[in-house]
Amino acid sequence: MAKNGLGKIKIPVCWPSTTQKETKWVLKALKENKISSTAGFVELFEKEFAKKIGTRYCVAVNSGYSALFLALRALGIGKGDEVIVPDFTMIATANAVSAVGAIPVFVDARWDTCNINTDLIEEKITPRTKAIIPVHLYGHPCEMDEILEIARRYNLFVIEDAAEAHGAEYKGKMVGSLGDVSCFSFYANKIITTGEGGAIATNNKKLAEDLRRLRAYYFTPGTHFWHKKMAWNFRMSSIEAAYGLGQLERWNELIEKRRENAMYYSERLEGVGDLELPVEKENVKNVYWMYLIKTRERDRLMEFLEKKGIETRTGFFPMHWQPIYKQKGDFPVADKLGKQTMYLPSAPDLSKKQMDYIIKYVREFFKEKNLNNWSWRNWECSGTSVGRNLLYMD
Ligand SMILES: *Cc1c(COP(=O)(O)O)cnc(C)c1O
């Protein structure tokens, strides 16, 4: 895989972990001829996933985006409504809101966790606000007590976007079990995957039943081809669910691998250059979906690592930068995150040898630039950093 002619990628930024467990389940689906959504393993996958999250119900769909879209529809959110969404997130969160006809209202981030700044939510609430979507970014849980309290006070729904946070915990409770509904993605780079897929988890029985029918054309039991509501086809296949059942057998292993890799990186990158490493706030369990670092040298570091065959990726670009949501507004933290975040390879099967190779070159980058001795944190941080100009004068 040559990229930009700069070199061959030796270490991809992420790849799925398929073992005999997944293979066994998928072969079982094939041998039993259970390939669609209705015959076979989808229901079993839903039951097992709900058990892991600690909710009564789970409805599997074909993507994380579909999960968000259906959750919003099932809660009756649509035209004329506003939904609070973090400015720093993956585009799916905002697009699902737009797709139901509502308006995503962006709130700035916290610097340390990258998550929505709960102090700034209330000022964005209007009489049209119907819901808040906290996104547990990169595996770190949001400040759910604060969010749930605001939601109670203003009578808003809370839809957790837990696409990056399978197995993360907030005050001993599983992320995805705290809001009215929660949405997961099982895309290939997520902590638990089905290749493509998603799910909505909830304790609300009526909502779950509605979601089940909204997922598939709203067929009516008894009078099959009678459709009382507008609905779509967002079904997950039995083959995908089977793969997911293999992954669920490895729940602890897949989560712990990501945590262990993060610890390994952090122990060896602490204090290097101006790097800021991922945090784990008190009373939460971070599952480190991707190992996200912050540095003013982001673009140069990415280029340097690419030449060494290490694939990295920037963090998200804020929603208010996006051509489809471009707007003026005060999002200083998201602006900075958009410029300074990147993640290092974060696959669960990343070996120590690979991590040592990555760590070596991250350290070398900062050493070459003689950056280790700079007291970065004393510098005023602005978009166009004075520091950068100074450093590259030599
Ligand atoms: C991946 C992701 C999604 C979308 O999931 P897909 O399965 O790719 O549609 C939504 N929200 C967040 C925060 C994500 O990281």
Side-chain angles (χ1 to χ4, degrees), residues 63-65 68 89-90 92-93 135 161 163-164 185 187 190 197 289:
S63 76
Y65 167 81
L68 287 161
T89 184
M90 197 245 166
T93 321
V135 186
D161 183 341
E164 305 177 359
S185 165
Y187 176 62
K190 302 297 159 93
W289 171 55

Side-chain angles (χ1 to χ4, degrees), residues 54-57 176-181 201-208:
T55 56
R56 239 170 281 160
Y57 310 100
S177 69
L178 302 155
D180 295 289
V181 283
T202 182
N203 287 317
N204 184 325
K205 187 176 180 188
K206 271 188 83 172
L207 201 64

Side-chain angles (χ1 to χ4, degrees), residues 231-274:
W232 303 264
N233 174 5
F234 294 144
R235 294 182 299 240
M236 176 187 273
S237 85
S238 175
I239 301 169
E240 290 166 324
Y243 187 99
L245 282 162
Q247 290 263 297
L248 290 185
E249 284 184 6
R250 302 171 61 209
W251 176 265
N252 288 330
E253 177 204 338
L254 288 168
I255 291 161
E256 287 316 311
K257 272 186 164 176
R258 272 182 143 101
R259 280 178 61 81
E260 281 165 22
N261 290 351
M263 298 308 145
Y264 196 86
Y265 273 135
S266 288
E267 278 167 22
R268 289 156 183 82
L269 292 175
E270 180 70 47
V272 173
D274 71 329

Side-chain angles (χ1 to χ4, degrees), residues 23 27 35 42 55 115 132 149 166 220 234 273 345-346 355 391:
T23 311
L27 284 177
I35 60 171
V42 175
T55 56
N115 285 335
I132 306 173
E149 202 274 320
H166 315 64
T220 302
F234 294 144
S346 300
M355 279 189 285
L391 283 161

